[in-house]
Amino acid sequence: MKKTPNYLEDRLCLNVLANSVENAKACYEAAQGHAVLGVLSKNYATDEAAIEDMKRYIAATDNALSVGLGAGDPNQSAMVARLSEVLQPQHVNQVFTGVGASRALLGQNDTIINGLVSPTGTVGMVNLATGPLSSQAPAGIVPIETAIALLKDMGGSSIKFFNMKGLTHLEEYKAVATACAENDFYLEPTGGIDLENFQEIVQIAVDAGVKKIIPHVYSSIIDKTTGDTNVEDVKTLHAMMAETLK
C-alpha cells in the first residue's frame, strides 16, 4: 500500500476529519483522492481498539489515513507513535517532541509526519514547546528556520502551524510559508480554516513556493447534526485547491 499522500498536481492534499468509514470514503472520493482522512486517537480507549478500527479506514481509502491527536492534545503523542508503527499510514500528526519517536517506530521515510509549532505573535518566531511536558512550561520560542532544521533532524516532513485561528496570524503564516519554501520543507496550515478563508491561506503557501501543502479543514465543514464532514464542502475545497494552482 502507498505510504505517501496523493497530491493534486503533486502540490496539494486536503486533510479533513472522517466521522465514519463511510464518511471517509465519500470525502476521499469527493476530493478525487487528493485527501488524507483524519481519525483521532483520542476517541479510542485502547491501542487495540484504535488499530482495529483504523484498519477499516485504511482499506476504504487506499491507506489515506491521517492518525490524529485530537485538537493537538500533547498527551496523545505516545499513542499516535505506537499506532503509526503498526498501521503505517500516509500521514501522522504529532506535537513537536513526538516526531523523532514516530519516525523511528515507522521505520521508513515515506509517511508524512508533521510537527506542531504555534504562533507567538512575532513574525518569524514560533513556539515549539508543544509536547506533554513542554506545553506546560514557558514557551520555547525559536526562529522558524531553526524549528524546520530541528524537525528535519528528527525525521519530520512538515510544519503543522497551529492554531492559526483563521487569518489572525496572517503575517506570521506568510513568514512560515517563505521559510518552508526556502528550506525545502512541507507546510500544514491548521486551525480556524473555513470555506471563506481557505483559498487565501492555500494561495499564500502556493505563491511562496512551498513544495507540498496539506491544509487542515476540520470543524467548519462538519455537519453539527450528524457529525459527518460535509461531502459537498470537500468538493468545493478541492475546486478551490485547483484554482490556486492555475
Side-chain angles (χ1 to χ4, degrees):
M1 259 195 194
K2 191 163 165 279
K3 293 192 178 106
T4 49
N6 182 23
Y7 298 92
L8 175 65
E9 291 187 31
D10 209 30
R11 284 294 293 283
L12 294 173
C13 180
L14 191 60
N15 190 325
V16 295
L17 286 177
N19 190 41
S20 65
V21 174
E22 295 71 31
N23 188 218
K25 197 167 190 294
C27 289
Y28 185 68
E29 287 166 1
Q32 297 176 32
H34 305 125
V36 286
L37 294 311
V39 183
L40 305 179
S41 61
K42 200 172 184 173
N43 293 344
Y44 300 91
T46 64
D47 288 18
E48 292 72 25
I51 289 162
E52 187 182 346
D53 199 39
M54 288 184 187
K55 279 180 176 174
R56 296 166 57 232
Y57 287 85
I58 284 171
T61 63
D62 198 22
N63 201 33
L65 172 69
S66 171
V67 180
L69 295 156
D73 184 351
N75 297 311
Q76 293 301 116
S77 179
M79 184 176 183
V80 165
R82 293 192 305 267
L83 298 179
S84 301
E85 178 184 19
V86 178
L87 294 164
Q88 298 286 310
Q90 289 181 2
H91 188 267
V92 175
N93 292 275
Q94 262 301 1
V95 292
F96 190 89
T97 54
V99 170
S102 293
R103 182 61 75 198
L105 288 170
L106 278 164
Q108 41 86 356
N109 292 317
D110 296 331
T111 295
I112 299 294
I113 307 173
N114 65 37
L116 195 159
V117 304
S118 299
T120 60
T122 302
V123 174
M125 306 297 283
V126 295
N127 175 26
L128 45 76
T130 60
L133 297 175
S134 54
S135 61
Q136 305 302 311
I141 297 174
V142 302
I144 177 61
E145 294 82 2
T146 304
I148 290 170
L150 286 163
L151 283 168
K152 283 184 173 181
D153 282 344
M154 295 188 289
S157 317
S158 56
I159 286 275
K160 180 176 182 177
F161 196 51
F162 175 85
N163 182 344
M164 279 180 59
K165 298 179 182 171
L167 300 173
T168 304
H169 297 277
L170 193 60
E171 293 310 311
E172 288 179 75
Y173 171 64
K174 286 177 181 175
V176 169
T178 299
C180 285
E182 289 175 350
N183 293 278
D184 192 24
F185 210 56
Y186 302 168
L187 177 57
E188 305 191 29
T190 319
I193 303 178
D194 57 29
L195 291 166
E196 278 67 52
N197 60 32
F198 176 83
Q199 194 162 335
E200 181 180 351
I201 286 168
V202 174
Q203 193 72 59
I204 287 165
V206 169
D207 291 348
V210 182
K211 192 183 278 186
K212 299 257 196 301
I213 306 147
I214 305 176
H216 295 228
V217 189
Y218 282 3
S219 56
S220 67
I221 58 167
I222 288 175
D223 184 303
K224 303 295 179 277
T225 313
T226 63
D228 284 352
T229 290
N230 189 315
V231 175
E232 288 307 312
D233 287 349
V234 173
K235 286 180 185 170
T236 301
L237 293 169
H238 187 264
M240 286 180 184
M241 291 201 305
E243 194 66 32
T244 66
L245 296 173
K246 283 184 178 171

